[in-house]
Amino acid sequence: MSATKDPAVSKEKVLGITRPGIKNDEVLDLYKTWSKDYDKDLDEEEYGGPRKVAQTLAAALGEGSAARVLDVAAGTGLCGLELSKLGFSNVDALDASQEMLDVAKTKNVYKNFLKEFLGPNRLNIDDNTYDGMTACGLFCDGHVGPNCLEQLIRIVKPGG
């Protein structure tokens, strides 16, 4: 068995979990098994989204900011890790997959972990809690739709 993964297999996983018509429960089932290899698979795909998102937030709030940030659909914590590299230390993770959050915990970059599926449902977070938020790769079939935007806006401070 090869020590490295086949990039074609990694790409197939990404396309499979974002395929049109996939349902929320299917996505959660796939993340249960993929969570352990997710970071490695996306690294092989040279996934630069989390770094770019973190840099964009740092440009808005300043590097090393003490701002309270929510990493929405945090997954395994790739964006949180990039925020940490930029000096952010007050970051919470929100994701629907417990297995992905369990991997995110190993990175030691988050203060709190919130297991919630984003939608029109009211999040168990007070109004105006966060100075900013990050979101990377979440708006696709079976993941997150625009019906969560009202909740995300509600929990970010005015001007955030």
Side-chain angles (χ1 to χ4, degrees), residues 76-108:
T76 62
L78 294 175
C79 197
L81 189 61
E82 294 298 329
L83 287 167
S84 177
K85 291 176 185 176
L86 296 173
F88 286 85
S89 60
N90 195 13
V91 182
D92 294 341
L94 182 143
D95 200 274
S97 168
Q98 185 61 55
E99 291 78 10
M100 297 292 268
L101 285 172
D102 289 344
V103 174
K105 287 178 184 176
T106 68
K107 292 183 173 63
N108 299 311

PDB file of all heavy atoms in Angstrom, residues 76-108:
ATOM      1  N   THR A  76     -12.800  20.516  10.127  1.00  0.00           N
ATOM      2  CA  THR A  76     -11.653  20.032  10.894  1.00  0.00           C
ATOM      3  C   THR A  76     -10.776  21.157  11.419  1.00  0.00           C
ATOM      4  O   THR A  76      -9.726  20.910  12.001  1.00  0.00           O
ATOM      5  CB  THR A  76     -10.788  19.086  10.054  1.00  0.00           C
ATOM      6  OG1 THR A  76     -10.280  19.807   8.929  1.00  0.00           O
ATOM      7  CG2 THR A  76     -11.574  17.863   9.595  1.00  0.00           C
ATOM      8  N   GLY A  77     -11.176  22.396  11.191  1.00  0.00           N
ATOM      9  CA  GLY A  77     -10.446  23.529  11.757  1.00  0.00           C
ATOM     10  C   GLY A  77      -9.373  24.130  10.884  1.00  0.00           C
ATOM     11  O   GLY A  77      -8.487  24.829  11.377  1.00  0.00           O
ATOM     12  N   LEU A  78      -9.431  23.904   9.581  1.00  0.00           N
ATOM     13  CA  LEU A  78      -8.402  24.461   8.694  1.00  0.00           C
ATOM     14  C   LEU A  78      -8.389  25.985   8.718  1.00  0.00           C
ATOM     15  O   LEU A  78      -7.323  26.597   8.752  1.00  0.00           O
ATOM     16  CB  LEU A  78      -8.597  23.942   7.264  1.00  0.00           C
ATOM     17  CG  LEU A  78      -8.370  22.446   7.068  1.00  0.00           C
ATOM     18  CD1 LEU A  78      -8.726  22.029   5.633  1.00  0.00           C
ATOM     19  CD2 LEU A  78      -6.938  22.072   7.395  1.00  0.00           C
ATOM     20  N   CYS A  79      -9.561  26.599   8.732  1.00  0.00           N
ATOM     21  CA  CYS A  79      -9.618  28.063   8.770  1.00  0.00           C
ATOM     22  C   CYS A  79      -9.170  28.573  10.140  1.00  0.00           C
ATOM     23  O   CYS A  79      -8.439  29.555  10.239  1.00  0.00           O
ATOM     24  CB  CYS A  79     -11.021  28.538   8.438  1.00  0.00           C
ATOM     25  SG  CYS A  79     -11.085  30.266   7.984  1.00  0.00           S
ATOM     26  N   GLY A  80      -9.585  27.902  11.191  1.00  0.00           N
ATOM     27  CA  GLY A  80      -9.161  28.277  12.543  1.00  0.00           C
ATOM     28  C   GLY A  80      -7.661  28.211  12.702  1.00  0.00           C
ATOM     29  O   GLY A  80      -7.055  29.066  13.355  1.00  0.00           O
ATOM     30  N   LEU A  81      -7.058  27.216  12.097  1.00  0.00           N
ATOM     31  CA  LEU A  81      -5.599  27.083  12.143  1.00  0.00           C
ATOM     32  C   LEU A  81      -4.937  28.268  11.450  1.00  0.00           C
ATOM     33  O   LEU A  81      -3.962  28.839  11.960  1.00  0.00           O
ATOM     34  CB  LEU A  81      -5.179  25.762  11.492  1.00  0.00           C
ATOM     35  CG  LEU A  81      -3.727  25.366  11.630  1.00  0.00           C
ATOM     36  CD1 LEU A  81      -3.327  25.196  13.083  1.00  0.00           C
ATOM     37  CD2 LEU A  81      -3.485  24.057  10.876  1.00  0.00           C
ATOM     38  N   GLU A  82      -5.470  28.672  10.317  1.00  0.00           N
ATOM     39  CA  GLU A  82      -4.928  29.825   9.595  1.00  0.00           C
ATOM     40  C   GLU A  82      -5.144  31.113  10.393  1.00  0.00           C
ATOM     41  O   GLU A  82      -4.267  31.977  10.420  1.00  0.00           O
ATOM     42  CB  GLU A  82      -5.559  29.937   8.198  1.00  0.00           C
ATOM     43  CG  GLU A  82      -5.204  28.800   7.260  1.00  0.00           C
ATOM     44  CD  GLU A  82      -3.725  28.692   6.957  1.00  0.00           C
ATOM     45  OE1 GLU A  82      -3.013  29.720   6.931  1.00  0.00           O
ATOM     46  OE2 GLU A  82      -3.251  27.555   6.731  1.00  0.00           O
ATOM     47  N   LEU A  83      -6.285  31.241  11.055  1.00  0.00           N
ATOM     48  CA  LEU A  83      -6.523  32.408  11.912  1.00  0.00           C
ATOM     49  C   LEU A  83      -5.515  32.450  13.051  1.00  0.00           C
ATOM     50  O   LEU A  83      -4.984  33.510  13.380  1.00  0.00           O
ATOM     51  CB  LEU A  83      -7.943  32.378  12.476  1.00  0.00           C
ATOM     52  CG  LEU A  83      -9.069  32.690  11.493  1.00  0.00           C
ATOM     53  CD1 LEU A  83     -10.418  32.325  12.098  1.00  0.00           C
ATOM     54  CD2 LEU A  83      -9.039  34.150  11.071  1.00  0.00           C
ATOM     55  N   SER A  84      -5.236  31.299  13.623  1.00  0.00           N
ATOM     56  CA  SER A  84      -4.259  31.212  14.711  1.00  0.00           C
ATOM     57  C   SER A  84      -2.883  31.681  14.247  1.00  0.00           C
ATOM     58  O   SER A  84      -2.186  32.395  14.970  1.00  0.00           O
ATOM     59  CB  SER A  84      -4.196  29.778  15.223  1.00  0.00           C
ATOM     60  OG  SER A  84      -3.228  29.652  16.222  1.00  0.00           O
ATOM     61  N   LYS A  85      -2.494  31.311  13.047  1.00  0.00           N
ATOM     62  CA  LYS A  85      -1.202  31.728  12.484  1.00  0.00           C
ATOM     63  C   LYS A  85      -1.121  33.244  12.355  1.00  0.00           C
ATOM     64  O   LYS A  85      -0.031  33.815  12.374  1.00  0.00           O
ATOM     65  CB  LYS A  85      -0.979  31.082  11.120  1.00  0.00           C
ATOM     66  CG  LYS A  85      -0.747  29.589  11.173  1.00  0.00           C
ATOM     67  CD  LYS A  85      -0.632  29.021   9.763  1.00  0.00           C
ATOM     68  CE  LYS A  85      -0.529  27.519   9.758  1.00  0.00           C
ATOM     69  NZ  LYS A  85      -0.515  26.968   8.374  1.00  0.00           N
ATOM     70  N   LEU A  86      -2.301  33.879  12.219  1.00  0.00           N
ATOM     71  CA  LEU A  86      -2.358  35.336  12.073  1.00  0.00           C
ATOM     72  C   LEU A  86      -2.588  36.033  13.419  1.00  0.00           C
ATOM     73  O   LEU A  86      -2.841  37.232  13.469  1.00  0.00           O
ATOM     74  CB  LEU A  86      -3.440  35.725  11.068  1.00  0.00           C
ATOM     75  CG  LEU A  86      -3.191  35.247   9.632  1.00  0.00           C
ATOM     76  CD1 LEU A  86      -4.399  35.530   8.741  1.00  0.00           C
ATOM     77  CD2 LEU A  86      -1.938  35.882   9.056  1.00  0.00           C
ATOM     78  N   GLY A  87      -2.530  35.277  14.502  1.00  0.00           N
ATOM     79  CA  GLY A  87      -2.614  35.857  15.828  1.00  0.00           C
ATOM     80  C   GLY A  87      -3.990  35.918  16.456  1.00  0.00           C
ATOM     81  O   GLY A  87      -4.151  36.479  17.532  1.00  0.00           O
ATOM     82  N   PHE A  88      -4.995  35.350  15.819  1.00  0.00           N
ATOM     83  CA  PHE A  88      -6.335  35.329  16.402  1.00  0.00           C
ATOM     84  C   PHE A  88      -6.388  34.254  17.477  1.00  0.00           C
ATOM     85  O   PHE A  88      -5.993  33.107  17.243  1.00  0.00           O
ATOM     86  CB  PHE A  88      -7.400  35.060  15.329  1.00  0.00           C
ATOM     87  CG  PHE A  88      -7.657  36.221  14.430  1.00  0.00           C
ATOM     88  CD1 PHE A  88      -6.858  36.441  13.312  1.00  0.00           C
ATOM     89  CD2 PHE A  88      -8.676  37.106  14.697  1.00  0.00           C
ATOM     90  CE1 PHE A  88      -7.081  37.519  12.480  1.00  0.00           C
ATOM     91  CE2 PHE A  88      -8.901  38.195  13.864  1.00  0.00           C
ATOM     92  CZ  PHE A  88      -8.111  38.405  12.757  1.00  0.00           C
ATOM     93  N   SER A  89      -6.885  34.609  18.659  1.00  0.00           N
ATOM     94  CA  SER A  89      -6.894  33.650  19.767  1.00  0.00           C
ATOM     95  C   SER A  89      -8.252  33.534  20.454  1.00  0.00           C
ATOM     96  O   SER A  89      -8.371  32.849  21.460  1.00  0.00           O
ATOM     97  CB  SER A  89      -5.838  34.050  20.799  1.00  0.00           C
ATOM     98  OG  SER A  89      -6.131  35.346  21.301  1.00  0.00           O
ATOM     99  N   ASN A  90      -9.262  34.201  19.920  1.00  0.00           N
ATOM    100  CA  ASN A  90     -10.592  34.181  20.517  1.00  0.00           C
ATOM    101  C   ASN A  90     -11.598  33.699  19.472  1.00  0.00           C
ATOM    102  O   ASN A  90     -12.486  34.434  19.055  1.00  0.00           O
ATOM    103  CB  ASN A  90     -10.945  35.576  21.042  1.00  0.00           C
ATOM    104  CG  ASN A  90     -12.129  35.554  21.981  1.00  0.00           C
ATOM    105  OD1 ASN A  90     -12.563  34.501  22.447  1.00  0.00           O
ATOM    106  ND2 ASN A  90     -12.658  36.734  22.258  1.00  0.00           N
ATOM    107  N   VAL A  91     -11.420  32.444  19.042  1.00  0.00           N
ATOM    108  CA  VAL A  91     -12.181  31.890  17.926  1.00  0.00           C
ATOM    109  C   VAL A  91     -13.001  30.690  18.402  1.00  0.00           C
ATOM    110  O   VAL A  91     -12.488  29.824  19.108  1.00  0.00           O
ATOM    111  CB  VAL A  91     -11.246  31.464  16.776  1.00  0.00           C
ATOM    112  CG1 VAL A  91     -12.046  30.941  15.583  1.00  0.00           C
ATOM    113  CG2 VAL A  91     -10.347  32.623  16.354  1.00  0.00           C
ATOM    114  N   ASP A  92     -14.262  30.651  17.999  1.00  0.00           N
ATOM    115  CA  ASP A  92     -15.153  29.525  18.271  1.00  0.00           C
ATOM    116  C   ASP A  92     -15.424  28.786  16.967  1.00  0.00           C
ATOM    117  O   ASP A  92     -15.414  29.396  15.889  1.00  0.00           O
ATOM    118  CB  ASP A  92     -16.489  30.005  18.849  1.00  0.00           C
ATOM    119  CG  ASP A  92     -16.362  30.649  20.216  1.00  0.00           C
ATOM    120  OD1 ASP A  92     -15.335  30.426  20.892  1.00  0.00           O
ATOM    121  OD2 ASP A  92     -17.293  31.371  20.610  1.00  0.00           O
ATOM    122  N   ALA A  93     -15.679  27.481  17.068  1.00  0.00           N
ATOM    123  CA  ALA A  93     -15.977  26.646  15.905  1.00  0.00           C
ATOM    124  C   ALA A  93     -17.435  26.222  15.940  1.00  0.00           C
ATOM    125  O   ALA A  93     -17.949  25.812  16.981  1.00  0.00           O
ATOM    126  CB  ALA A  93     -15.079  25.414  15.907  1.00  0.00           C
ATOM    127  N   LEU A  94     -18.096  26.304  14.796  1.00  0.00           N
ATOM    128  CA  LEU A  94     -19.465  25.836  14.651  1.00  0.00           C
ATOM    129  C   LEU A  94     -19.509  24.871  13.479  1.00  0.00           C
ATOM    130  O   LEU A  94     -19.035  25.200  12.386  1.00  0.00           O
ATOM    131  CB  LEU A  94     -20.412  27.017  14.413  1.00  0.00           C
ATOM    132  CG  LEU A  94     -21.893  26.663  14.285  1.00  0.00           C
ATOM    133  CD1 LEU A  94     -22.743  27.743  14.947  1.00  0.00           C
ATOM    134  CD2 LEU A  94     -22.311  26.473  12.854  1.00  0.00           C
ATOM    135  N   ASP A  95     -20.039  23.686  13.701  1.00  0.00           N
ATOM    136  CA  ASP A  95     -20.165  22.700  12.621  1.00  0.00           C
ATOM    137  C   ASP A  95     -21.251  21.692  12.993  1.00  0.00           C
ATOM    138  O   ASP A  95     -21.523  21.481  14.174  1.00  0.00           O
ATOM    139  CB  ASP A  95     -18.835  21.972  12.379  1.00  0.00           C
ATOM    140  CG  ASP A  95     -18.774  21.336  11.001  1.00  0.00           C
ATOM    141  OD1 ASP A  95     -19.251  20.195  10.838  1.00  0.00           O
ATOM    142  OD2 ASP A  95     -18.268  22.006  10.073  1.00  0.00           O
ATOM    143  N   ALA A  96     -21.842  21.050  11.996  1.00  0.00           N
ATOM    144  CA  ALA A  96     -22.886  20.048  12.225  1.00  0.00           C
ATOM    145  C   ALA A  96     -22.311  18.659  12.473  1.00  0.00           C
ATOM    146  O   ALA A  96     -23.004  17.798  12.999  1.00  0.00           O
ATOM    147  CB  ALA A  96     -23.832  20.007  11.032  1.00  0.00           C
ATOM    148  N   SER A  97     -21.064  18.439  12.110  1.00  0.00           N
ATOM    149  CA  SER A  97     -20.457  17.112  12.226  1.00  0.00           C
ATOM    150  C   SER A  97     -19.596  17.003  13.482  1.00  0.00           C
ATOM    151  O   SER A  97     -18.569  17.679  13.599  1.00  0.00           O
ATOM    152  CB  SER A  97     -19.590  16.824  10.994  1.00  0.00           C
ATOM    153  OG  SER A  97     -18.787  15.680  11.199  1.00  0.00           O
ATOM    154  N   GLN A  98     -19.995  16.129  14.390  1.00  0.00           N
ATOM    155  CA  GLN A  98     -19.218  15.921  15.608  1.00  0.00           C
ATOM    156  C   GLN A  98     -17.831  15.369  15.284  1.00  0.00           C
ATOM    157  O   GLN A  98     -16.845  15.752  15.895  1.00  0.00           O
ATOM    158  CB  GLN A  98     -19.942  14.978  16.565  1.00  0.00           C
ATOM    159  CG  GLN A  98     -19.237  14.832  17.896  1.00  0.00           C
ATOM    160  CD  GLN A  98     -19.127  16.157  18.637  1.00  0.00           C
ATOM    161  OE1 GLN A  98     -20.127  16.825  18.877  1.00  0.00           O
ATOM    162  NE2 GLN A  98     -17.921  16.551  19.003  1.00  0.00           N
ATOM    163  N   GLU A  99     -17.753  14.493  14.293  1.00  0.00           N
ATOM    164  CA  GLU A  99     -16.460  13.899  13.925  1.00  0.00           C
ATOM    165  C   GLU A  99     -15.497  14.948  13.391  1.00  0.00           C
ATOM    166  O   GLU A  99     -14.304  14.918  13.716  1.00  0.00           O
ATOM    167  CB  GLU A  99     -16.663  12.776  12.896  1.00  0.00           C
ATOM    168  CG  GLU A  99     -17.359  11.554  13.449  1.00  0.00           C
ATOM    169  CD  GLU A  99     -18.877  11.699  13.596  1.00  0.00           C
ATOM    170  OE1 GLU A  99     -19.456  12.686  13.096  1.00  0.00           O
ATOM    171  OE2 GLU A  99     -19.482  10.814  14.237  1.00  0.00           O
ATOM    172  N   MET A 100     -15.998  15.890  12.612  1.00  0.00           N
ATOM    173  CA  MET A 100     -15.143  16.967  12.105  1.00  0.00           C
ATOM    174  C   MET A 100     -14.715  17.879  13.263  1.00  0.00           C
ATOM    175  O   MET A 100     -13.552  18.273  13.352  1.00  0.00           O
ATOM    176  CB  MET A 100     -15.870  17.765  11.023  1.00  0.00           C
ATOM    177  CG  MET A 100     -16.215  16.949   9.782  1.00  0.00           C
ATOM    178  SD  MET A 100     -14.800  16.428   8.820  1.00  0.00           S
ATOM    179  CE  MET A 100     -14.702  17.783   7.666  1.00  0.00           C
ATOM    180  N   LEU A 101     -15.635  18.196  14.162  1.00  0.00           N
ATOM    181  CA  LEU A 101     -15.282  19.012  15.326  1.00  0.00           C
ATOM    182  C   LEU A 101     -14.254  18.311  16.212  1.00  0.00           C
ATOM    183  O   LEU A 101     -13.376  18.964  16.778  1.00  0.00           O
ATOM    184  CB  LEU A 101     -16.533  19.355  16.145  1.00  0.00           C
ATOM    185  CG  LEU A 101     -17.458  20.416  15.556  1.00  0.00           C
ATOM    186  CD1 LEU A 101     -18.745  20.511  16.377  1.00  0.00           C
ATOM    187  CD2 LEU A 101     -16.778  21.764  15.454  1.00  0.00           C
ATOM    188  N   ASP A 102     -14.354  16.989  16.318  1.00  0.00           N
ATOM    189  CA  ASP A 102     -13.376  16.244  17.114  1.00  0.00           C
ATOM    190  C   ASP A 102     -11.969  16.409  16.553  1.00  0.00           C
ATOM    191  O   ASP A 102     -11.002  16.552  17.307  1.00  0.00           O
ATOM    192  CB  ASP A 102     -13.746  14.759  17.179  1.00  0.00           C
ATOM    193  CG  ASP A 102     -14.975  14.490  18.038  1.00  0.00           C
ATOM    194  OD1 ASP A 102     -15.370  15.382  18.834  1.00  0.00           O
ATOM    195  OD2 ASP A 102     -15.549  13.385  17.905  1.00  0.00           O
ATOM    196  N   VAL A 103     -11.840  16.428  15.224  1.00  0.00           N
ATOM    197  CA  VAL A 103     -10.536  16.673  14.599  1.00  0.00           C
ATOM    198  C   VAL A 103     -10.111  18.117  14.846  1.00  0.00           C
ATOM    199  O   VAL A 103      -8.957  18.390  15.169  1.00  0.00           O
ATOM    200  CB  VAL A 103     -10.555  16.343  13.086  1.00  0.00           C
ATOM    201  CG1 VAL A 103      -9.244  16.729  12.421  1.00  0.00           C
ATOM    202  CG2 VAL A 103     -10.843  14.857  12.862  1.00  0.00           C
ATOM    203  N   ALA A 104     -11.050  19.052  14.736  1.00  0.00           N
ATOM    204  CA  ALA A 104     -10.743  20.473  14.975  1.00  0.00           C
ATOM    205  C   ALA A 104     -10.203  20.689  16.389  1.00  0.00           C
ATOM    206  O   ALA A 104      -9.296  21.512  16.588  1.00  0.00           O
ATOM    207  CB  ALA A 104     -11.992  21.327  14.743  1.00  0.00           C
ATOM    208  N   LYS A 105     -10.726  19.957  17.362  1.00  0.00           N
ATOM    209  CA  LYS A 105     -10.264  20.094  18.754  1.00  0.00           C
ATOM    210  C   LYS A 105      -8.780  19.789  18.889  1.00  0.00           C
ATOM    211  O   LYS A 105      -8.095  20.390  19.719  1.00  0.00           O
ATOM    212  CB  LYS A 105     -11.072  19.175  19.669  1.00  0.00           C
ATOM    213  CG  LYS A 105     -12.469  19.649  19.916  1.00  0.00           C
ATOM    214  CD  LYS A 105     -13.254  18.676  20.781  1.00  0.00           C
ATOM    215  CE  LYS A 105     -14.693  19.158  20.911  1.00  0.00           C
ATOM    216  NZ  LYS A 105     -15.531  18.226  21.663  1.00  0.00           N
ATOM    217  N   THR A 106      -8.266  18.891  18.071  1.00  0.00           N
ATOM    218  CA  THR A 106      -6.852  18.507  18.173  1.00  0.00           C
ATOM    219  C   THR A 106      -5.916  19.625  17.743  1.00  0.00           C
ATOM    220  O   THR A 106      -4.725  19.574  18.041  1.00  0.00           O
ATOM    221  CB  THR A 106      -6.548  17.245  17.341  1.00  0.00           C
ATOM    222  OG1 THR A 106      -6.677  17.543  15.944  1.00  0.00           O
ATOM    223  CG2 THR A 106      -7.466  16.089  17.726  1.00  0.00           C
ATOM    224  N   LYS A 107      -6.426  20.634  17.058  1.00  0.00           N
ATOM    225  CA  LYS A 107      -5.593  21.745  16.582  1.00  0.00           C
ATOM    226  C   LYS A 107      -5.349  22.785  17.674  1.00  0.00           C
ATOM    227  O   LYS A 107      -4.496  23.646  17.531  1.00  0.00           O
ATOM    228  CB  LYS A 107      -6.220  22.364  15.344  1.00  0.00           C
ATOM    229  CG  LYS A 107      -6.166  21.413  14.155  1.00  0.00           C
ATOM    230  CD  LYS A 107      -6.715  22.042  12.909  1.00  0.00           C
ATOM    231  CE  LYS A 107      -6.504  21.162  11.710  1.00  0.00           C
ATOM    232  NZ  LYS A 107      -7.168  19.875  11.734  1.00  0.00           N
ATOM    233  N   ASN A 108      -6.142  22.744  18.736  1.00  0.00           N
ATOM    234  CA  ASN A 108      -5.975  23.659  19.872  1.00  0.00           C
ATOM    235  C   ASN A 108      -6.001  25.135  19.481  1.00  0.00           C
ATOM    236  O   ASN A 108      -5.192  25.932  19.956  1.00  0.00           O
ATOM    237  CB  ASN A 108      -4.693  23.336  20.644  1.00  0.00           C
ATOM    238  CG  ASN A 108      -4.721  21.942  21.216  1.00  0.00           C
ATOM    239  OD1 ASN A 108      -5.697  21.541  21.844  1.00  0.00           O
ATOM    240  ND2 ASN A 108      -3.671  21.190  20.965  1.00  0.00           N
TER     241      ASN A 108
END
